[in-house]
Amino acid sequence: MTDLLKRLDRPIVLVGLMGAGKSTVGRRLAKRLGLPFIDSDSEIEDAVGLPWGELFERYGEADYRDGERRLVARLVDGQVRVIATGGGVFVDPQTRQLLKEQTITIWLDAPIEILAERTGRRDTRPLLKNGDRKDTLERIANIEREAYSEAALHVKSGDGAHRDVVETIVRELEQYLAGRTAA
């Protein structure tokens, strides 16, 4: 692990659809690596003083994404840490480019059925409040999948233990950093 940490020179950013496990896996990954953890949705809430879902509904997606873009730019200041992002962060072309240049991006990819079950546990996601949750997630996934495919690493997340996903990420990071060093 020490060798991996020595080679890390930038933040690790988890991207993916809502419900993929970015926050939960991110916290565990940060603990496993001994790094600080930041959740961009929580940072937005702390900065504005309102839940992110309420901000999204009150100001609309365009204004929310603009604020999110500015926040993410501040979070990727070069400090090595783990950052969990909101579901739409990596879809924005400007933010995606910034993250690809300044971080190691990891796409957490989970099946739609699992995303629908996870996101159904709480009614805090504005994009899922109207219509069939599974259909909405499938529609969003079809739109956003291409953007997520540009992440440096692609890790499947399912209904298994989060620790298994964390261990997969650690292995993928080791391979990725070894390849980057060799290049």
Side-chain angles (χ1 to χ4, degrees), residues 12-41:
I12 298 166
V13 176
L14 302 178
V15 301
L17 283 168
M18 58 185 107
K22 300 177 299 287
S23 296
T24 303
V25 169
R27 270 190 227 51
R28 291 174 183 230
L29 178 63
K31 184 176 181 181
R32 169 80 163 79
L33 297 175
L35 294 173
F37 172 74
I38 293 181
D39 184 298
S40 69
D41 287 341

CSV table of all heavy atoms in Angstrom, one decimal, residues 12-41:
chain,number,residue,atom,x,y,z
A,12,ILE,N,-8.2,11.1,-6.4
A,12,ILE,CA,-9.0,10.0,-7.0
A,12,ILE,C,-10.5,10.4,-7.0
A,12,ILE,O,-11.0,10.8,-5.9
A,12,ILE,CB,-8.8,8.7,-6.2
A,12,ILE,CG1,-7.4,8.2,-6.2
A,12,ILE,CG2,-9.7,7.6,-6.7
A,12,ILE,CD1,-7.1,7.2,-5.1
A,13,VAL,N,-11.1,10.4,-8.1
A,13,VAL,CA,-12.5,10.8,-8.2
A,13,VAL,C,-13.4,9.7,-8.7
A,13,VAL,O,-13.1,9.1,-9.8
A,13,VAL,CB,-12.6,12.1,-9.1
A,13,VAL,CG1,-14.0,12.5,-9.3
A,13,VAL,CG2,-11.8,13.2,-8.6
A,14,LEU,N,-14.4,9.4,-7.9
A,14,LEU,CA,-15.4,8.4,-8.3
A,14,LEU,C,-16.6,9.1,-9.0
A,14,LEU,O,-17.1,10.1,-8.5
A,14,LEU,CB,-15.9,7.7,-7.0
A,14,LEU,CG,-14.8,7.0,-6.2
A,14,LEU,CD1,-15.5,6.4,-5.0
A,14,LEU,CD2,-14.1,6.0,-7.0
A,15,VAL,N,-16.9,8.5,-10.2
A,15,VAL,CA,-18.0,9.0,-11.0
A,15,VAL,C,-18.9,7.9,-11.3
A,15,VAL,O,-18.5,6.7,-11.2
A,15,VAL,CB,-17.5,9.7,-12.3
A,15,VAL,CG1,-16.5,10.9,-12.0
A,15,VAL,CG2,-16.8,8.7,-13.2
A,16,GLY,N,-20.1,8.2,-11.7
A,16,GLY,CA,-21.1,7.2,-12.1
A,16,GLY,C,-22.5,7.6,-11.8
A,16,GLY,O,-22.7,8.7,-11.3
A,17,LEU,N,-23.4,6.8,-12.2
A,17,LEU,CA,-24.8,7.1,-12.0
A,17,LEU,C,-25.2,7.2,-10.5
A,17,LEU,O,-24.5,6.6,-9.7
A,17,LEU,CB,-25.7,6.1,-12.7
A,17,LEU,CG,-25.8,6.2,-14.2
A,17,LEU,CD1,-26.5,4.9,-14.8
A,17,LEU,CD2,-26.7,7.4,-14.6
A,18,MET,N,-26.3,7.9,-10.3
A,18,MET,CA,-26.8,8.0,-8.9
A,18,MET,C,-27.1,6.6,-8.4
A,18,MET,O,-27.6,5.7,-9.2
A,18,MET,CB,-28.0,8.9,-8.8
A,18,MET,CG,-29.1,8.5,-9.7
A,18,MET,SD,-30.5,9.7,-9.6
A,18,MET,CE,-30.3,10.5,-11.2
A,19,GLY,N,-26.7,6.3,-7.2
A,19,GLY,CA,-26.9,5.0,-6.6
A,19,GLY,C,-25.8,4.0,-6.9
A,19,GLY,O,-25.9,2.8,-6.4
A,20,ALA,N,-24.8,4.3,-7.6
A,20,ALA,CA,-23.7,3.4,-7.9
A,20,ALA,C,-22.8,3.1,-6.7
A,20,ALA,O,-22.0,2.1,-6.8
A,20,ALA,CB,-22.8,3.9,-9.1
A,21,GLY,N,-22.9,3.9,-5.7
A,21,GLY,CA,-22.1,3.6,-4.5
A,21,GLY,C,-20.9,4.5,-4.3
A,21,GLY,O,-20.0,4.2,-3.5
A,22,LYS,N,-20.9,5.7,-5.0
A,22,LYS,CA,-19.7,6.5,-5.0
A,22,LYS,C,-19.4,7.0,-3.6
A,22,LYS,O,-18.2,7.0,-3.2
A,22,LYS,CB,-19.9,7.7,-5.9
A,22,LYS,CG,-20.1,7.3,-7.4
A,22,LYS,CD,-20.4,8.5,-8.3
A,22,LYS,CE,-21.6,9.3,-7.9
A,22,LYS,NZ,-22.9,8.6,-8.3
A,23,SER,N,-20.4,7.4,-2.8
A,23,SER,CA,-20.1,8.0,-1.5
A,23,SER,C,-19.7,6.9,-0.5
A,23,SER,O,-18.7,7.0,0.2
A,23,SER,CB,-21.4,8.7,-0.9
A,23,SER,OG,-21.7,9.8,-1.7
A,24,THR,N,-20.4,5.8,-0.5
A,24,THR,CA,-20.1,4.7,0.4
A,24,THR,C,-18.8,4.0,0.1
A,24,THR,O,-17.9,3.9,0.9
A,24,THR,CB,-21.2,3.6,0.3
A,24,THR,OG1,-22.5,4.2,0.6
A,24,THR,CG2,-21.0,2.5,1.3
A,25,VAL,N,-18.6,3.7,-1.2
A,25,VAL,CA,-17.3,3.1,-1.6
A,25,VAL,C,-16.2,4.1,-1.4
A,25,VAL,O,-15.1,3.8,-1.0
A,25,VAL,CB,-17.4,2.6,-3.1
A,25,VAL,CG1,-16.0,2.3,-3.6
A,25,VAL,CG2,-18.3,1.4,-3.2
A,26,GLY,N,-16.4,5.4,-1.7
A,26,GLY,CA,-15.4,6.5,-1.6
A,26,GLY,C,-14.9,6.6,-0.1
A,26,GLY,O,-13.7,6.7,0.1
A,27,ARG,N,-15.9,6.6,0.8
A,27,ARG,CA,-15.5,6.6,2.2
A,27,ARG,C,-14.6,5.4,2.6
A,27,ARG,O,-13.6,5.6,3.2
A,27,ARG,CB,-16.7,6.6,3.1
A,27,ARG,CG,-17.2,8.0,3.5
A,27,ARG,CD,-18.3,7.8,4.6
A,27,ARG,NE,-19.5,8.5,4.4
A,27,ARG,CZ,-20.4,8.5,3.4
A,27,ARG,NH1,-20.1,7.8,2.4
A,27,ARG,NH2,-21.5,9.2,3.4
A,28,ARG,N,-15.0,4.3,2.2
A,28,ARG,CA,-14.2,3.0,2.5
A,28,ARG,C,-12.9,3.0,1.8
A,28,ARG,O,-11.9,2.6,2.3
A,28,ARG,CB,-15.0,1.8,2.1
A,28,ARG,CG,-16.2,1.6,3.0
A,28,ARG,CD,-17.1,0.5,2.6
A,28,ARG,NE,-18.3,0.4,3.5
A,28,ARG,CZ,-18.7,-0.7,4.1
A,28,ARG,NH1,-18.0,-1.8,3.8
A,28,ARG,NH2,-19.7,-0.7,4.8
A,29,LEU,N,-12.8,3.5,0.5
A,29,LEU,CA,-11.6,3.6,-0.2
A,29,LEU,C,-10.6,4.5,0.5
A,29,LEU,O,-9.4,4.2,0.6
A,29,LEU,CB,-11.8,4.0,-1.7
A,29,LEU,CG,-10.6,4.1,-2.5
A,29,LEU,CD1,-9.9,2.8,-2.7
A,29,LEU,CD2,-11.0,4.7,-3.9
A,30,ALA,N,-11.1,5.7,0.9
A,30,ALA,CA,-10.3,6.7,1.6
A,30,ALA,C,-9.7,6.1,2.8
A,30,ALA,O,-8.5,6.2,3.1
A,30,ALA,CB,-11.1,7.9,1.9
A,31,LYS,N,-10.5,5.4,3.6
A,31,LYS,CA,-10.1,4.8,4.8
A,31,LYS,C,-9.0,3.7,4.5
A,31,LYS,O,-8.0,3.7,5.2
A,31,LYS,CB,-11.2,4.2,5.6
A,31,LYS,CG,-10.9,3.6,6.9
A,31,LYS,CD,-12.1,3.0,7.7
A,31,LYS,CE,-11.6,2.5,9.0
A,31,LYS,NZ,-12.7,2.0,9.8
A,32,ARG,N,-9.3,2.9,3.5
A,32,ARG,CA,-8.3,1.8,3.1
A,32,ARG,C,-7.0,2.4,2.7
A,32,ARG,O,-5.9,1.8,3.0
A,32,ARG,CB,-8.9,1.0,2.0
A,32,ARG,CG,-8.0,0.0,1.3
A,32,ARG,CD,-7.9,-1.2,2.1
A,32,ARG,NE,-7.3,-2.3,1.3
A,32,ARG,CZ,-6.1,-2.5,1.0
A,32,ARG,NH1,-5.2,-1.6,1.4
A,32,ARG,NH2,-5.7,-3.5,0.3
A,33,LEU,N,-7.0,3.6,2.0
A,33,LEU,CA,-5.7,4.2,1.6
A,33,LEU,C,-5.1,5.2,2.6
A,33,LEU,O,-4.0,5.6,2.4
A,33,LEU,CB,-6.0,4.9,0.2
A,33,LEU,CG,-6.4,4.0,-0.9
A,33,LEU,CD1,-6.8,4.9,-2.2
A,33,LEU,CD2,-5.4,3.0,-1.3
A,34,GLY,N,-5.9,5.5,3.6
A,34,GLY,CA,-5.4,6.5,4.6
A,34,GLY,C,-5.4,7.9,4.0
A,34,GLY,O,-4.6,8.7,4.4
A,35,LEU,N,-6.4,8.2,3.2
A,35,LEU,CA,-6.6,9.5,2.6
A,35,LEU,C,-7.8,10.2,3.1
A,35,LEU,O,-8.8,9.6,3.5
A,35,LEU,CB,-6.6,9.3,1.1
A,35,LEU,CG,-5.4,8.8,0.4
A,35,LEU,CD1,-5.7,8.5,-1.1
A,35,LEU,CD2,-4.2,9.7,0.5
A,36,PRO,N,-7.8,11.5,3.0
A,36,PRO,CA,-9.1,12.3,3.3
A,36,PRO,C,-10.1,11.9,2.2
A,36,PRO,O,-9.8,11.6,1.1
A,36,PRO,CB,-8.6,13.7,3.1
A,36,PRO,CG,-7.2,13.8,3.1
A,36,PRO,CD,-6.7,12.4,2.6
A,37,PHE,N,-11.4,12.1,2.7
A,37,PHE,CA,-12.5,11.8,1.8
A,37,PHE,C,-13.4,13.1,1.7
A,37,PHE,O,-13.6,13.7,2.7
A,37,PHE,CB,-13.4,10.7,2.3
A,37,PHE,CG,-14.7,10.5,1.6
A,37,PHE,CD1,-14.7,10.0,0.3
A,37,PHE,CD2,-15.9,10.9,2.1
A,37,PHE,CE1,-15.9,9.8,-0.4
A,37,PHE,CE2,-17.1,10.7,1.5
A,37,PHE,CZ,-17.1,10.2,0.2
A,38,ILE,N,-13.9,13.4,0.5
A,38,ILE,CA,-14.8,14.5,0.3
A,38,ILE,C,-16.0,14.0,-0.6
A,38,ILE,O,-15.7,13.3,-1.6
A,38,ILE,CB,-14.1,15.7,-0.4
A,38,ILE,CG1,-13.1,16.3,0.6
A,38,ILE,CG2,-15.1,16.7,-0.8
A,38,ILE,CD1,-12.4,17.5,0.0
A,39,ASP,N,-17.2,14.3,-0.2
A,39,ASP,CA,-18.4,14.1,-1.0
A,39,ASP,C,-18.8,15.4,-1.6
A,39,ASP,O,-19.2,16.3,-0.8
A,39,ASP,CB,-19.4,13.4,-0.1
A,39,ASP,CG,-20.7,13.0,-0.9
A,39,ASP,OD1,-21.3,13.9,-1.5
A,39,ASP,OD2,-21.0,11.8,-0.9
A,40,SER,N,-18.8,15.5,-2.9
A,40,SER,CA,-19.1,16.8,-3.5
A,40,SER,C,-20.6,17.3,-3.2
A,40,SER,O,-20.8,18.5,-3.0
A,40,SER,CB,-18.9,16.8,-5.0
A,40,SER,OG,-19.8,16.0,-5.7
A,41,ASP,N,-21.5,16.3,-3.1
A,41,ASP,CA,-22.9,16.7,-2.8
A,41,ASP,C,-22.9,17.3,-1.4
A,41,ASP,O,-23.6,18.4,-1.1
A,41,ASP,CB,-23.8,15.5,-2.8
A,41,ASP,CG,-24.1,15.1,-4.3
A,41,ASP,OD1,-23.9,16.0,-5.2
A,41,ASP,OD2,-24.6,14.0,-4.5
